[in-house]
DNA sequence: CTGAAAGCGCTTACAG
DNA sequence: CTGAAAGCGCTTACAG
């Protein structure tokens, strides 16, 4: 055994001590040079930088984290049924958006998919205490979401990809459904629908409550009646609720479904019951995806600009972590992708 | 300012020094107790553990990583077009599987989606040098994949979710397409198809080359002719290639498409050209997804057990990181989900 | 069984 | 502009 301290296999890592020794300067100077701080002559800085590049030096992240309390890592913990997570393109699209930003600022994402609820709180707590992340991005806000007070107490920044905006001092990416509702109602009104149904996602989600409330308000203001049913985002549920709606006496002429999966289910059930789409029934999905795009007929859907939202969430989080406080940003408004599943009533 | 060293906001973190002080023992004893090492009396261990629990102590991950060179983190870097990543449920399903394992062993996933190829090598190198991860799981192996020699040189363990098995000393999760091919060919033979076409994914992927080769061999051994075309996994490409095939003189009676998106495209084009599916044309997708399940007719597809493969990959990586070397595991064989897109020739 | 001490690789006041 | 030194919070031989 020669020279090696611990590692063994791993090729000798280059440290700032190595750089300092080779250049015959102090570790501090190397650190200053590397971090663009004042305290070194321009000449020394260049010598350090070029040697670092030559040797392929990258600072040990643990050491940086330990001494500077900065991890360049954000955490995301998703507590949803694994089956749903992989089915809903929403999550992956958001992650892609977040990653776009992370690539730009060379930061990383620590990801944990805890199947069950409750477990996510543990992970949040642990990662915070462990100093593993600089902050969190939170999805799927609930009523009285326990994660928010927890993170406040732990003193870790977070951004809620949310839809309401209580002034509680945490970062929020606000995407009010108001604009989306306007698009939906406008489209349905133009087509002359008077009796519609809304199969929402679970009411436990803050954004679903808002959607239901706003859709009702806006629609009724235009003389459109809304029947609301609560769904759970699953295919089977969308199918069952659609069946129920289509068999009721006051049959709606248009259906708004909370996500793509339920919208496809509605389409299927309509076909099955011999209800022509879009001639006898219009269908709209509240979130766009390949499933909507590739359905037959293509399903009119709201493109929520999910990737862009992810990007913004990451951006916002880094600003908050850098000291700007209580920021609230509005997301770009959604876009209605009109396809073949909607037609005049 | 009182007492606080740096943090400021963040609620006072509990450290082993705090525990040691309160219990009036040394930091070493606390560490031993916490890590289940010998060197403390059972009584002391219990006192440490209960105080730790009481105070919500969690060891600073940077400190652990720095002193023990163990991060409890695995890295995944995916260099694919973001659009494709969010479209292919494959990735998310694999991540879910990996996460299942990580949850069990309380480890984490560091994820980076670099849009372009080439960039992924940088991230691999940087994370390795930075000591950010204990190892990597690699997807989408290419011919002479530069990632493998790079990680070897860096001395970082990795598992290739792969399909071939060169004996190159890195961990490999082997999922030979052989079994899948057998399923596919068996199904098509039973249905009496004699002339089929295979629209594969890009040849740059090792697993696609294998699929093409094996499908050809097995089919021809049963007297089935195979026409092969190389696709790129995108909808548009699947559509174009299908159009080409259906217009050729030697029209195949069955199509095998490399992924779900191309299979849906094939279905669409068939409908458009007035070719009845499955009566005049059978369609099979090499990877299952909701898209296949929810298409009309439902598309017969190979369920690759993606989640289970993800789980195994993580398991394997941890074993390798723990010292077991050059492990090769076989994944469970795929399952053919027969739906309505396949029928007798 | 237990403690004092060195060390992991950085950063950051603090003196020169 | 530069260096010596302490410190971040752990782990780990090494003595008792």
């Amino acid at each position: 055994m020669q020279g090696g301290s611990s590692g063994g296999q791993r090729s000798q890592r280059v440290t700032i001590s190595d750089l300092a020794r080779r250049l015959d300067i102090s570790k501090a100077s190397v650190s200053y040079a590397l971090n663009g701080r004042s305290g070194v002559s321009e000449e020394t800085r260049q010598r350090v930088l070029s040697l670092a590049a030559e040797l392929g030096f990258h600072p040990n992240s643990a050491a940086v984290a330990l001494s500077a309390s900065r991890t360049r890592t954000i955490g995301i913990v998703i507590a949803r049924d694994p089956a749903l997570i992989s089915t809903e393109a929403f999550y992956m699209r958001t992650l892609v958006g977040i990653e776009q930003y992370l690539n730009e600022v060379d930061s990383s994402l620590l990801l944990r998919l805890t199947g069950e609820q409750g477990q996510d709180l543990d992970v949040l707590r642990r990662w915070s205490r462990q100093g593993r992340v600089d902050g969190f991005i939170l999805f799927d806000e609930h009523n009285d979401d326990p994660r928010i007070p927890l993170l406040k107490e732990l003193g870790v920044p977070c951004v809620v990809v949310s839809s309401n905006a209580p002034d509680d001092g945490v970062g929020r990416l606000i995407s009010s459904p108001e604009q989306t509702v306007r698009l939906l109602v406008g489209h349905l009104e133009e087509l002359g629908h008077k009796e519609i149904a809304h199969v929402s996602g679970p009411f436990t989600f803050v954004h679903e409550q808002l959607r239901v409330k706003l859709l009702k308000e806006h629609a009724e203001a235009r003389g459109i009646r809304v029947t609301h049913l609560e769904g759970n985002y699953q295919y089977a549920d969308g199918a069952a609720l659609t069946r129920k709606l289509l068999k009721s006496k006051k049959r709606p002429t248009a259906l708004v479904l909370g996500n793509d999966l339920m919208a496809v289910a509605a389409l299927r059930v309509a076909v099955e019951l011999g209800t022509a789409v879009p001639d006898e029934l219009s269908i709209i999905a509240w979130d766009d995806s390949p499933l909507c795009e590739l359905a037959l007929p293509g399903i009119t859907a709201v493109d929520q600009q999910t990737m862009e939202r992810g990007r913004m969430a990451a951006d916002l989080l880094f600003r908050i972590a850098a000291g700007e406080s209580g920021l609230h940003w509005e997301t770009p408004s959604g876009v209605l992708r009109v396809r073949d599943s909607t037609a005049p009533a």
Side-chain angles (χ1 to χ4, degrees), chain A residues 42-301:
Chain A
E42 195 46 36
E43 190 210 329
T44 305
R45 186 187 304 280
Q46 289 311 327
R47 289 176 57 218
V48 171
L49 291 178
S50 75
L51 183 62
E54 184 189 328
L55 300 183
F57 168 80
H58 291 283
N60 179 288
S61 63
V64 174
L66 188 56
S67 57
S69 308
R70 182 170 41 86
T71 64
R72 291 191 145 291
T73 302
I74 69 174
I76 291 184
V77 183
I78 303 179
R80 293 285 286 273
D81 175 17
L84 204 114
I85 287 179
S86 50
T87 300
E88 289 237 41
F90 165 79
Y91 289 107
M92 202 42 146
R93 285 204 311 270
T94 307
L95 289 186
V96 167
I98 290 170
E99 290 279 358
Q100 281 177 0
Y101 187 81
L102 296 182
N103 275 320
E104 288 170 23
V105 298
D106 190 28
S107 294
S108 309
L109 170 65
L110 204 62
L111 178 68
R112 189 71 149 268
L113 309 176
T114 73
E116 305 160 49
Q117 279 219 5
Q119 283 222 336
D120 59 336
L121 290 176
D122 284 340
V123 177
L124 252 31
R125 188 180 296 114
R126 218 175 310 137
W127 283 4
S128 298
R129 290 266 164 86
Q130 290 178 159
R132 275 185 157 261
V133 297
D134 292 340
F136 290 97
I137 293 180
L138 266 33
F139 293 116
D140 303 324
E141 187 186 11
H142 288 66
N143 275 329
D144 299 319
D145 201 310
R147 295 174 296 176
I148 298 180
L150 173 65
L151 291 179
K152 252 192 201 160
E153 180 201 328
L154 292 168
V156 180
C158 72
V159 162
V160 184
V161 179
S162 161
S163 24
N164 67 342
D167 196 2
D168 53 6
V170 310
R172 282 180 180 277
L173 195 63
I174 302 162
S175 43
S176 165
E178 188 112 29
Q179 175 61 15
T180 300
V181 165
R182 232 186 288 279
L183 290 170
L184 289 181
V185 172
H187 184 57
L188 290 170
E189 189 186 22
E190 269 180 30
L191 296 174
H193 292 274
K194 292 288 176 205
E195 186 80 37
I196 72 176
H198 176 198
V199 177
S200 72
F203 239 61
T204 47
F205 295 123
V206 167
H207 71 271
E208 289 292 349
Q209 293 173 226
L210 270 172
R211 288 180 181 182
V212 171
K213 173 168 166 286
L214 290 172
L215 182 60
K216 197 150 234 157
E217 284 175 11
H218 282 250
E220 288 176 356
R222 316 273 186 110
I224 302 176
R225 288 233 331 210
V226 184
T227 304
H228 168 254
L229 292 179
E230 184 181 353
N232 68 3
Y233 291 138
Q234 305 280 12
Y235 182 92
D237 205 46
L241 295 175
T242 299
R243 194 164 282 121
K244 185 169 162 188
L245 285 165
L246 293 186
K247 287 182 172 165
S248 67
K249 54 257 129 199
K250 273 255 166 188
R251 240 181 69 168
T253 58
L255 248 49
V256 177
L257 292 303
N259 72 343
D260 53 344
L261 217 51
M262 292 198 295
V264 173
L267 181 56
R268 237 10 101 61
V269 167
V271 169
E272 181 191 318
L273 298 181
T275 306
V277 176
D279 296 336
E280 299 173 78
L281 180 71
S282 286
I283 290 179
I284 301 183
W286 207 300
D287 197 10
D288 196 13
S289 82
L291 233 36
C292 295
E293 195 182 340
L294 299 178
L296 256 186
I299 297 175
T300 295

